[in-house]
């Protein structure tokens, strides 16, 4: 129980930190944009591939469909089976490849830390909780469609598939007759929206992404925990922040290499003219 509480506390604190970071970056960026009319990373799109990293917090739960056996007299002592909504966090890398002016292809190798549970409520008022704690290796492959850049801002949408494989989980070696047995890999559909914010040396992007599992995770080996279920899938809602490095702070103008400061000076001169 101490491990569960610790994970829950980390999730709550992580969510607060993420929201506070978004607010601080947003306010800082807004102030910066008002005081500086020039654009950052003006040659960012000239580079066809960018790398970065992501961190995020998420909330996940099971989506269940009861079997016909659930309504039979054999299960008349079970009042309901209720999935919980638990938190976790993710860490990963970003590989972004340019496909067109407004389209990118993104690969996001990610490690996700999950907790999911089912509460079996009985007619005598008792409850039995079945907790699944797992570490998943994920590989989201997403198409990103972005708007035209307005100063140092651009909005985007993304969608794609996300295959995942369980790397480890607590209780996997226990007697499956006394545990909810699930398959160890899944494929989900991911959709999301975000905002690209261009700073002097990197691009910062807050993002919200929803993931819906397509595979029935129930094992063929039924037991007391799974016999009342016909289908079990996963759904996940995550808040992410990504950092992607830009090209070098130099750009060739008129056959000469100009630094970022010289480029901004030229831009200001054009504005005055």
């Amino acid at each position: 129980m101490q491990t569960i509480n610790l994970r829950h506390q980390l999730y709550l604190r992580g969510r607060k930190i993420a929201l506070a970071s978004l607010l601080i970056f947003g306010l800082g960026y807004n102030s910066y944009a008002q005081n500086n009319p020039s654009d950052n990373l003006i040659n960012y799109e000239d580079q066809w591939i960018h790398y970065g990293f992501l961190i995020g917090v998420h909330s996940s739960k099971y989506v269940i469909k009861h079997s016909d056996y659930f309504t039979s007299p054999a299960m008349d002592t079970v009042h309901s089976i209720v999935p919980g909504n638990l938190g976790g966090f993710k860490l990963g890398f970003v590989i972004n490849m340019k496909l067109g002016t407004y389209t990118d292809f993104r690969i996001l190798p990610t490690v996700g830390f999950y907790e999911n549970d089912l509460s079996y409520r009985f007619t005598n008022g008792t409850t039995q909780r079945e907790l699944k704690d797992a570490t998943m290796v994920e590989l989201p492959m997403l198409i990103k469609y972005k708007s035209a850049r307005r100063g140092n801002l651009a909005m985007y949408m993304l969608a794609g598939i996300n295959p995942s494989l369980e790397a480890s989980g607590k209780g996997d070696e226990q007697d499956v007759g006394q545990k909810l047995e699930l398959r160890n890999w899944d494929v989900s559909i991911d959709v999301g929206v975000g905002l690209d914010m261009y700073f002097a040396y990197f691009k910062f992007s807050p993002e919200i992404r929803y993931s819906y599992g397509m595979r029935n995770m129930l094992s063929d080996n039924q037991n007391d925990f799974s016999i009342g279920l016909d289908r079990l899938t996963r759904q996940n809602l995550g808040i992410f922040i990504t950092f992607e490095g830009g090209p070098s702070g130099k750009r060739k103008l008129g056959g000469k290499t100009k630094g970022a400061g010289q480029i901004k000076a030229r831009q200001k001169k054009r504005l005055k003219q």
Side-chain angles (χ1 to χ4, degrees):
M1 295 300 295
Q2 291 179 349
T3 302
I4 296 171
N5 291 336
L6 178 61
R7 177 70 63 83
H8 185 63
Q9 292 297 324
L10 286 174
Y11 167 66
L12 292 177
R13 292 178 183 176
R15 184 167 60 176
K16 292 178 181 178
I17 292 172
L19 293 176
S21 299
L22 293 179
L23 180 61
I24 291 171
F25 271 103
L27 292 176
Y29 178 84
N30 199 30
S31 174
Y32 176 83
Q34 291 175 353
N35 295 314
N36 195 336
S38 62
D39 293 344
N40 295 318
L41 298 177
I42 55 178
N43 58 336
Y44 187 88
E45 303 301 335
D46 294 342
Q47 185 173 323
W48 78 275
I49 187 168
H50 296 92
Y51 303 97
F53 66 93
L54 66 86
I55 57 176
V57 294
H58 66 259
S59 176
S60 61
K61 67 180 294 186
Y62 292 140
V63 178
I64 62 173
K65 177 183 177 183
H66 295 95
S67 65
D68 294 336
Y69 189 81
F70 180 75
T71 59
S72 68
M75 294 194 68
D76 59 0
T77 59
V78 180
H79 176 270
S80 58
I81 304 175
V82 182
N85 200 339
L86 302 178
F89 61 97
K90 295 183 180 183
L91 303 170
F93 297 98
V94 177
I95 305 172
N96 189 93
M97 291 167 280
K98 179 180 178 181
L99 297 180
T101 304
Y102 301 111
T103 309
D104 295 339
F105 176 63
R106 293 168 72 82
I107 302 176
L108 310 172
T110 306
V111 177
F113 301 90
Y114 289 86
E115 279 187 347
N116 293 285
D117 73 345
L118 290 176
S119 295
Y120 295 79
R121 299 176 180 175
F122 298 93
T123 54
N124 62 4
T126 62
T127 300
Q128 183 172 352
R129 184 183 185 220
E130 177 65 10
L131 177 69
K132 299 292 289 185
D133 187 351
T135 300
M136 305 294 292
V137 178
E138 304 175 354
L139 191 65
M141 293 173 283
L142 310 173
I143 297 296
K144 175 181 177 180
Y145 182 76
K146 54 194 175 182
S147 69
R149 180 171 167 175
R150 296 291 183 267
N152 291 319
L153 294 176
M155 297 191 67
Y156 65 86
M157 301 181 296
L158 45 79
I161 62 171
N162 179 9
S164 59
L165 176 67
E166 183 176 345
S168 65
K170 295 181 180 179
D172 292 344
E173 303 300 326
Q174 298 184 20
D175 182 3
V176 297
Q178 300 179 15
K179 301 291 290 183
L180 177 66
E181 186 180 8
L182 302 179
R183 295 185 169 96
N184 63 355
W185 67 272
D186 193 11
V187 177
S188 63
I189 299 296
D190 285 19
V191 294
V193 295
L195 179 67
D196 284 335
M197 304 168 65
Y198 295 84
F199 288 85
Y201 299 104
F202 64 90
K203 185 177 71 173
F204 168 76
S205 305
E207 176 182 307
I208 298 176
R209 198 186 326 148
Y210 174 74
S211 179
Y212 188 86
M214 303 299 293
R215 189 176 189 228
N216 185 2
M217 298 300 294
L218 291 175
S219 171
D220 294 331
N221 301 321
Q222 291 189 336
N223 55 33
D224 292 340
F225 289 96
S226 61
I227 197 169
L229 302 174
D230 182 61
R231 184 174 177 83
L232 183 148
T233 57
R234 294 171 173 167
Q235 69 175 12
N236 180 275
L237 181 64
I239 300 174
F240 301 90
I241 53 175
T242 66
F243 297 86
E244 296 176 57
S248 64
K250 299 180 179 180
R251 182 183 181 186
K252 290 185 177 180
L253 292 176
K256 297 181 180 181
T257 300
K258 300 295 182 180
Q262 293 170 293
I263 294 173
K264 290 183 179 180
R266 277 223 177 159
Q267 291 175 328
K268 290 180 180 180
K269 185 176 180 180
R270 291 195 198 102
L271 290 174
K272 289 180 181 180
Q273 293 175 349

